[in-house]
Amino acid sequence: MARGRVQAPEIEGPVALQPPPLPGDTFTGAAQAPINTDLTRIADALSSFNTSLQSFGSAAMAAQKKQQAEIEGARANKLIMGMSRDEAIERVNNGTMPNFADPFARAMVEKNAGQAYGERLVSGIQQQIKTGQIDLSAEGPGTNIEDYITKAAQDDLQSMPEHFQRSKAGMAGYTQRIESARDALMKSQLDQRSAAFTRKQEGVAYDQFSKMFENGNGEPAEATQAKVRGVYLDLGNSKFLRNDQLDQQLINVLRNRASDPNSVEAVVHALGVDRVGKDGEKIPALGANPRYVQDVQQIRDTARATLTKKYDDTMETQAVANVKSAMERQDGSLWTMNNATYKNPYDRANGDRTINVDKVKQSAVNDWLSWSKQLAGSRQETPELQYQREWDVLTANNIANPAWKEMLTGPPKAFANPQALTNPTTRTAAMAAGEKFMQMDAANHPYVKNTLGLDGNTMDFYQVYSAARQQLGKSSDEALDMAASAIRTPDNENDMAVRAQRAKDVEAKVKSMDFGTGWTSYLPFVNSDAKNAGAVQKRVLDVATLYTRIPGMSLDDAVKAATETVQKRSVYINGHVVADNGWLPPPQFKGNIESALESFHKQYGDANHVSKATDLSIEPMGGGTFRIIDATQEGGKPVYARDANGRTVPATISMPMLLGLQKQKDEAAAVTRQETQTKNRDAAVEADKDRLRNTPDRFLSPAKREEKRALGPAQPGMTTGPALSPQVVMPRSITEAVPPQAFEDFFKKLLNPGNPRTGGRK
């Protein structure tokens, strides 16, 4: 009896496979209707009659079941298509994922879920790699990514549902995804470890090359080139790095070291050396390798800039050293030193340079003052001893001490604000500065005024302070208040009018004074007439006008105090008052100046129609130079001499000349003292010997008796001590490891190599 058949339309053949939406490698065809054709119906009808047809029916039923499973799989795929991996895993874990009746469909769903589990594990590992928690390039225990993945998978399985762990399809999908990731990560780890090893070897090469330049400054080219060859011999035979990799590391080192002034010469030498590489292979000079032509040009430009600056720095350093040497010698050369010019041979565009003498002096004095401070600390000197040493050297060389200038300029600026007078700390510092000013001003007024460069307001402050202390006998506190008041502009018209009127009164008094022989009470210049009385009168008027601002000081007291101040700050040379309207020599050089004028008169007196040396005097010209004048003529007539080339030039006296004369006197005095000390010492020794000779033996010990017999009879003599001579420090010369022309020729050859075919230049 024939069984009933299910009616179904004909299918039109297989449908193309489509990938499911979740990661994995399972593919299914589109859903198809069960097989129900005329052929199957005939086969069913005839199955009881023919064995062959019965077998065909069994195969057809199996195919029908497979297609049914595919339908179930498609339904499962459609179900999980809208789920994320985490949602699919969650549905499996909590049992809400449907159990499909068909095993094929269920296996497919569980496999996809297993791959989702594996993807979650792999994503976590990849995130740790990305954030640096796992370093694929690391080596050592516990760094193999294969071991890490295996352990992570074992830990992950502990959290999976047991029914899922029993699923072969699910575990197959899980394993498949993990093994795929493991293979890729193992390959990546191998590549990264290899790259890290190469970088490490390159680092070793870089360090070896870099060490060549640590102590290479000033070495000859052969020494540097031998070092380069040595590194290539050591590392070029290594199986880990090729010679081109060594070349790159050397280029990197040279590029960095080309800006180091202590390495630049060795860098230039290293570019031109032939090397020996692997298996004794000779490698041409790195600088001639066309591959690195741009690097060599960059190194050349950097080296040129470095050598240019190094040359400039060397010249400046040498200038500072020369200034310090001159300071120590105190030969007076710093008084007339001007800016120096030189040519920097490494600067092809503009090699002309100028050394600023003021900048060099400042650097030199800063270095010297630092040394003086260290010396005072090591010797445990008192502040007075340190001050005196610095004062002697700096005033002799006409160089300012920045610390002194800062100390003196601070108070006048502070007291522009009246509130500053109420600050105890500020007052204490200002009074200390005022006392120091009086000490400095008495010792060398020109240095304080001109060399320290105090402005007019600052000088007024300290002049009033000094006058209040010395002429009026005021205390430091009182003098400070007077000085602060004197430099402050009156804040009302009445005070302004009073100040203006007192200035007019003192001007009238000074102009009415007689600067002749009867004015000795006002101008105590050894009771002599001042040949330039007008200039002296002007100077007295300026100072007296300032002193009228001091509360309680009368006009007569102001004029008298001003006269005393001008007298202290002037040098009286042959009846001519050399005032401080320029850099005048300190009073202690008065004798040296008069000696120089006598020498000039002997040689040029007749030519200038000057009858006697006492008619000559000087006037400041600035910069420590003074014009020699005929002081008997109105205003002081200049006189002339001849220079080394026979040209007629104005006759001058300079501070270096005066310092030289003073030095000769000091040396002569030192020799005299040395000779006197030697004579006194020898005389004392001979006196002891004579005393021993004249002492009876009974009063002497056995040892003294032997000493007496050894002396013999008295034979007086005299031993002279060595004469002192000034120590001359010669300036140091400048050495160049890479001469400028050699530098140019070297890079010209490197950057324009010969033609390999003809051997000539390109």
Side-chain angles (χ1 to χ4, degrees):
M1 180 176 179
R3 291 175 291 179
R5 297 177 177 84
V6 180
Q7 298 294 325
E10 295 283 347
I11 63 176
E12 297 182 358
V15 181
L17 296 180
Q18 300 175 353
L22 295 180
D25 56 0
T26 301
F27 294 86
T28 64
Q32 298 184 10
I35 301 175
N36 186 17
T37 63
D38 293 339
L39 181 59
T40 59
R41 290 194 292 274
I42 293 173
D44 287 341
L46 298 178
S47 61
S48 58
F49 302 100
N50 188 297
T51 304
S52 297
L53 291 175
Q54 188 177 18
S55 299
F56 176 79
S58 298
M61 289 301 295
Q64 183 178 4
K65 289 180 179 181
K66 181 178 179 181
Q67 288 193 359
Q68 183 65 34
E70 291 175 350
I71 293 172
E72 294 291 336
R75 192 161 68 87
N77 276 335
K78 184 177 181 181
L79 178 65
I80 67 176
M81 185 180 298
M83 298 181 188
S84 66
R85 286 195 300 269
D86 293 338
E87 288 174 333
I89 293 172
E90 181 65 25
R91 296 287 292 275
V92 172
N93 288 344
N94 60 27
T96 59
M97 181 71 79
N99 288 328
F100 297 99
D102 188 90
F104 180 82
R106 179 173 181 174
M108 183 177 61
V109 173
E110 290 178 348
K111 183 177 182 181
N112 283 350
Q115 289 193 341
Y117 267 117
E119 182 65 23
R120 183 178 66 173
L121 177 68
V122 170
S123 296
I125 294 174
Q126 290 174 336
Q127 182 64 22
Q128 292 182 67
I129 294 173
K130 182 178 180 180
T131 58
Q133 300 176 58
I134 298 177
D135 183 7
L136 292 180
S137 65
E139 297 193 39
T143 60
N144 288 337
I145 191 63
E146 181 180 14
D147 298 338
Y148 188 88
I149 293 174
T150 299
K151 185 178 183 307
Q154 291 173 351
D155 295 340
D156 195 33
L157 286 172
Q158 302 300 319
S159 62
M160 292 183 185
E162 292 186 6
H163 68 273
F164 184 78
Q165 294 185 44
R166 291 193 297 269
S167 170
K168 293 183 179 181
M171 295 309 296
Y174 181 72
T175 303
Q176 184 183 49
R177 179 68 189 106
I178 290 178
E179 289 182 349
S180 174
R182 180 198 61 195
D183 294 342
L185 289 174
M186 287 176 63
K187 182 179 183 304
S188 179
Q189 183 171 62
L190 182 62
D191 293 341
Q192 291 193 33
R193 283 181 171 177
S194 176
F197 179 79
T198 299
R199 288 194 301 271
K200 183 178 180 180
Q201 294 301 311
E202 289 174 344
V204 172
Y206 185 95
D207 291 342
Q208 290 293 327
F209 283 128
S210 188
K211 287 179 181 178
M212 293 169 26
F213 302 97
E214 291 179 354
N215 299 307
N217 187 30
E219 288 186 342
E222 293 76 11
T224 300
Q225 293 168 354
K227 290 179 180 180
V228 173
R229 292 190 182 98
V231 176
Y232 272 84
L233 285 171
D234 291 341
L235 301 180
N237 293 325
S238 170
K239 64 181 179 181
F240 303 117
L241 291 179
R242 303 183 307 274
N243 280 325
D244 62 315
Q245 292 174 308
L246 287 176
D247 289 345
Q248 185 60 59
Q249 294 311 307
L250 180 54
I251 281 289
N252 294 340
V253 170
L254 298 181
R255 186 186 297 111
N256 291 334
R257 289 284 185 169
S259 59
D260 179 7
N262 294 323
S263 305
V264 62
E265 289 94 351
V267 167
V268 176
H269 299 328
L271 283 171
V273 60
D274 293 334
R275 285 117 344 116
V276 177
K278 190 179 298 184
D279 301 326
E281 166 190 18
K282 185 175 181 181
I283 310 169
L286 183 61
N289 190 332
R291 176 182 177 183
Y292 300 112
V293 64
Q294 291 184 347
D295 296 289
V296 174
Q297 287 177 337
Q298 180 184 1
I299 292 170
R300 174 202 60 186
D301 295 340
T302 303
R304 182 190 301 282
T306 303
L307 287 169
T308 299
K309 185 177 185 305
K310 183 175 182 179
Y311 193 91
D312 288 337
D313 292 344
T314 301
M315 294 297 291
E316 184 168 326
T317 300
Q318 186 61 58
V320 170
N322 291 341
V323 168
K324 289 172 65 177
S325 176
M327 285 175 59
E328 294 166 355
R329 296 195 308 271
Q330 299 183 30
D331 59 4
S333 61
L334 300 186
W335 283 84
T336 55
M337 180 181 289
N338 297 317
N339 291 347
T341 60
Y342 68 95
K343 190 173 186 63
N344 189 321
Y346 294 101
D347 188 349
R348 295 184 300 175
N350 183 19
D352 295 333
R353 298 287 196 273
T354 299
I355 294 180
N356 185 289
V357 65
D358 293 331
K359 179 181 177 182
V360 168
K361 284 183 178 180
Q362 196 59 61
S363 297
V365 75
N366 289 341
D367 290 348
W368 188 85
L369 288 173
S370 296
W371 167 83
S372 178
K373 183 177 180 180
Q374 294 172 358
L375 181 65
S378 63
R379 293 180 176 178
Q380 297 182 340
E381 293 179 343
T382 63
E384 290 74 17
L385 285 176
Q386 179 183 348
Y387 165 80
Q388 193 59 49
R389 175 175 58 252
E390 294 173 2
W391 174 265
D392 291 341
V393 171
L394 297 182
T395 55
N397 291 285
N398 193 32
I399 296 180
N401 185 332
W404 295 344
K405 183 174 182 178
E406 182 179 359
M407 173 193 65
L408 294 177
T409 55
K413 292 180 180 179
F415 294 137
N417 178 9
Q419 295 298 325
L421 287 169
T422 62
N423 187 315
T425 303
T426 305
R427 289 184 66 88
T428 301
M431 288 185 288
E435 298 300 310
K436 183 60 70 175
F437 172 86
M438 289 193 299
Q439 178 186 357
M440 291 179 172
D441 191 64
N444 193 329
H445 172 73
Y447 177 83
V448 177
K449 178 187 176 185
N450 301 315
T451 307
L452 291 184
L454 302 184
D455 59 35
N457 196 58
T458 301
M459 285 298 299
D460 288 347
F461 175 87
Y462 288 111
Q463 285 185 133
V464 173
Y465 182 91
S466 301
R469 292 279 288 134
Q470 295 171 343
Q471 273 81 24
L472 299 181
K474 299 295 184 180
S475 67
S476 298
D477 272 309
E478 292 172 324
L480 177 62
D481 291 330
M482 290 179 175
S485 175
I487 66 170
R488 194 176 301 122
T489 302
D491 54 6
N492 60 72
E493 294 183 1
N494 184 57
D495 291 344
M496 286 285 290
V498 171
R499 178 175 290 186
Q501 185 59 48
R502 286 180 64 83
K504 291 181 180 178
D505 293 342
V506 77
E507 181 179 5
K509 188 171 186 62
V510 171
K511 287 184 176 180
S512 66
M513 295 166 57
D514 181 9
F515 279 80
T517 57
W519 192 58
T520 56
S521 60
Y522 285 106
L523 188 62
F525 287 111
V526 296
N527 294 328
S528 300
D529 292 340
K531 296 177 181 177
N532 56 334
V536 178
Q537 185 185 62
K538 175 67 169 60
R539 190 71 187 112
V540 170
L541 175 60
D542 291 341
V543 179
T545 302
L546 172 65
Y547 286 169
T548 60
R549 301 179 186 177
I550 302 176
M553 180 170 276
S554 66
L555 292 182
D556 286 340
D557 289 340
V559 173
K560 183 177 180 181
T563 304
E564 292 175 356
T565 299
V566 171
Q567 189 267 341
K568 290 178 181 177
R569 295 176 179 174
S570 303
V571 180
Y572 195 66
I573 306 294
N574 294 337
H576 183 83
V577 179
V578 184
D580 62 344
N581 56 347
W583 215 108
L584 82 162
Q588 60 265 32
F589 287 135
K590 181 176 183 292
N592 296 341
I593 295 172
E594 292 173 346
S595 297
L597 293 177
E598 289 178 4
S599 298
F600 173 81
H601 183 266
K602 289 178 181 178
Q603 188 172 2
Y604 296 105
D606 292 340
N608 286 278
H609 307 291
V610 178
S611 60
K612 55 184 183 298
T614 54
D615 290 340
L616 297 173
S617 190
I618 62 171
E619 279 292 336
M621 295 178 62
T625 302
F626 312 96
R627 178 187 291 113
I628 300 177
I629 61 171
D630 180 355
T632 62
Q633 303 294 319
E634 181 68 26
K637 177 185 176 182
V639 294
Y640 297 88
R642 292 188 179 277
D643 63 9
N645 297 321
R647 295 173 299 186
T648 301
V649 294
T652 59
I653 296 175
S654 66
M655 281 300 295
M657 180 190 300
L658 298 177
L659 287 166
L661 291 173
Q662 186 64 38
K663 197 169 186 179
Q664 290 176 6
K665 289 183 179 180
D666 293 342
E667 290 172 356
V671 170
T672 300
R673 286 195 303 271
Q674 181 73 20
E675 291 175 348
T676 301
Q677 291 173 1
T678 301
K679 289 179 180 179
N680 292 337
R681 184 183 65 247
D682 293 345
V685 170
E686 289 299 325
D688 289 340
K689 291 180 180 179
D690 289 342
R691 192 178 299 110
L692 182 60
R693 291 189 185 98
N694 296 326
T695 302
D697 290 348
R698 65 178 181 276
F699 296 115
L700 299 176
S701 66
K704 284 294 183 181
R705 292 173 189 170
E706 289 295 328
E707 184 178 346
K708 177 181 178 181
R709 281 193 291 271
L711 289 176
Q715 293 180 354
M718 183 179 69
T719 304
T720 58
L724 299 181
S725 60
Q727 182 180 6
V728 179
V729 180
M730 299 301 294
R732 297 173 297 176
S733 61
I734 300 174
T735 58
E736 300 171 4
V738 181
Q741 190 55 47
F743 179 85
E744 302 296 341
D745 294 344
F746 178 81
F747 278 100
K748 181 179 180 181
K749 180 179 180 181
L750 288 180
L751 297 174
N752 187 25
N755 189 305
R757 184 171 62 84
T758 63
R761 312 298 289 177
K762 286 185 178 179

